[in-house]
Amino acid sequence: MGLFIDYFYGYTTDPCDNRVYALVDPILPPKKCLLNCTYCPVGCGIPVSRDYSLTANLELFRQHLGQKTELIRGGEALFIWGMGDPLLISNINSIVGTVRELIGEREIVVYSSGFSLSRLLGQKALNDVKEVRAPLTLLFDETNHGISPRGYVELLKLFSREHGDKIVVEVVAFKIGYRYVPQIDALRTTLSKINVGALFKVRIKTLERPGCVLDAKPVPERYLEQLKEAIEELGGKVVTCRQVRQKRPQVPVKPLINTLYNQLIRIPLSTDEIISIYGETGIIAATNLLENKYAEQVPWEGKIFYRGHY
């Protein structure tokens, strides 16, 4: 079929701000992250060390994205994330600088595991980034062993003191059976150690798609509200993110099948999502990937999701 792994991998509508983001991943497979979160859409992996020895091929990155300038400008903003934590890349300054040159004034958002936030302190890349998102749920997720809650909290506080206008902490709530994560009392105890109101913004959301652990499911709306109230009691600025209908990008994606393949190996999409983003042609492409064993169907929460293989 002539498929290849690419740095640009489609679009998504963010549930927190309802904008269409073009998706760029400077980390190619396999997954390279310090964490192994239950809800990670990429799936499970083996956590890597934080030695920052990973270097992206800048020439290839520029070449591939340069050929897709119109596509990456088809989003209202751009999201850097994918097969792991982009802040593990030693030449992250050049990566972000290249993206800035290509997209003009559109905003850039970076998602990090959080433990590599110190990589951005004093770096030029931070000037080009509108927002850095980091998870808080990792402190309560049993799949992340050996995590130091105190060390992570101190790192969040350090980054927030320097760049509180850029950091957003995400709480991704989920349940496995009758167990809810995070527990409200545990979250309250952790955040009481941080001046959460003064340091950063908090976003709360639940699962929208299958992740590393298929038994992890979304929590009810009322539980999100209880989490929000607990954080607001501590002075936190909280936004609750709710599932939105995926929107069509401004630019048609051609050839579609390779872009969809690259999206599905990073983010499983439901049948409805594929149609919303890429139209009926997207389902034809997804079926083609399925028939050629580049993807599988995953039943989850009453929907059929397509997940890619690499």
Side-chain angles (χ1 to χ4, degrees):
M1 294 179 66
L3 299 178
F4 61 92
I5 306 295
D6 204 355
Y7 297 103
F8 167 74
Y9 64 101
Y11 303 94
T12 191
T13 303
D14 188 85
C16 298
D17 61 20
N18 201 32
R19 292 192 298 177
V20 176
Y21 282 77
L23 303 169
V24 168
D25 178 13
I27 298 180
L28 301 181
K31 182 180 177 181
K32 305 171 186 73
C33 188
L34 299 166
L35 305 175
N36 197 29
C37 298
T38 293
Y39 54 85
C40 181
V42 177
C44 301
I46 300 174
V48 300
S49 61
R50 185 173 38 173
D51 59 7
Y52 305 115
S53 61
L54 180 64
T55 301
N57 187 325
L58 187 59
E59 182 178 351
L60 194 62
F61 185 76
R62 282 176 172 158
Q63 177 186 339
H64 279 226
L65 286 193
Q67 295 169 353
K68 295 178 171 62
T69 302
E70 185 179 9
L71 288 176
I72 65 174
R73 290 180 177 176
E76 298 168 83
L78 186 138
F79 197 47
I80 299 179
W81 176 83
M83 279 289 167
D85 186 345
L87 298 188
L88 293 177
I89 298 175
S90 61
N91 53 345
I92 186 64
N93 276 321
S94 298
I95 291 295
V96 173
T98 297
V99 171
R100 170 56 66 211
E101 291 173 8
L102 292 173
I103 68 168
E105 296 301 316
R106 288 172 177 79
E107 293 179 359
I108 299 173
V109 174
V110 175
Y111 192 86
S112 166
S113 67
F115 280 94
S116 53
L117 283 173
S118 57
R119 288 277 294 148
L120 280 181
L121 293 175
Q123 297 293 316
K124 179 181 180 298
L126 198 55
N127 296 328
D128 289 321
V129 171
K130 171 66 175 179
E131 183 177 284
V132 181
R133 300 182 186 178
L136 192 67
T137 311
L138 65 90
L139 298 179
F140 316 98
D141 191 344
E142 293 180 355
T143 59
N144 288 316
H145 304 290
I147 296 299
S148 167
R150 175 179 292 182
Y152 188 60
V153 166
E154 289 303 315
L155 181 57
L156 287 177
K157 290 168 69 175
L158 172 64
F159 191 90
S160 299
R161 281 194 294 268
E162 299 287 334
H163 303 285
D165 60 324
K166 291 184 181 285
I167 182 72
V168 175
V169 172
E170 292 192 345
V171 177
V172 182
F174 61 89
K175 64 176 182 176
I176 298 179
Y178 294 102
R179 181 171 63 89
Y180 283 62
V181 180
Q183 289 288 317
I184 294 174
D185 288 343
L187 180 68
R188 186 182 285 115
T189 298
T190 298
L191 290 183
S192 66
K193 302 172 185 176
I194 313 171
N195 185 2
V196 63
L199 291 179
F200 44 69
K201 295 170 284 187
V202 180
R203 288 182 182 152
I204 299 176
K205 57 186 178 182
T206 191
L207 303 190
E208 296 180 316
R209 63 197 73 254
C212 168
V213 179
L214 290 180
D215 287 339
K217 301 298 174 65
V219 300
E221 179 74 22
R222 65 179 180 275
Y223 195 75
L224 294 181
E225 288 304 313
Q226 289 172 344
L227 290 172
K228 179 181 179 183
E229 290 171 6
I231 298 171
E232 288 178 335
E233 287 173 3
L234 296 170
K237 308 178 188 72
V238 189
V239 172
T240 303
C241 308
R242 294 175 173 83
Q243 188 169 3
V244 296
R245 181 176 176 82
Q246 293 289 319
K247 294 188 289 190
R248 193 73 55 89
Q250 300 170 1
V251 180
V253 180
K254 297 179 181 179
L256 174 57
I257 192 164
N258 197 75
T259 298
L260 181 60
Y261 168 66
N262 273 273
Q263 186 159 2
L264 295 181
I265 64 175
R266 296 167 170 100
I267 305 175
L269 294 177
S270 70
T271 303
D272 290 343
E273 288 176 323
I274 293 173
I275 294 174
S276 294
I277 302 171
Y278 302 113
E280 295 293 338
T281 308
I283 291 298
I284 295 172
T287 303
N288 199 339
L289 291 171
L290 188 68
E291 291 174 348
N292 286 277
K293 303 189 185 308
Y294 285 102
E296 64 177 336
Q297 289 183 328
V298 180
W300 190 81
E301 287 294 283
K303 299 179 181 179
I304 296 296
F305 286 80
Y306 290 80
R307 170 174 269 163
H309 302 306
Y310 59 86

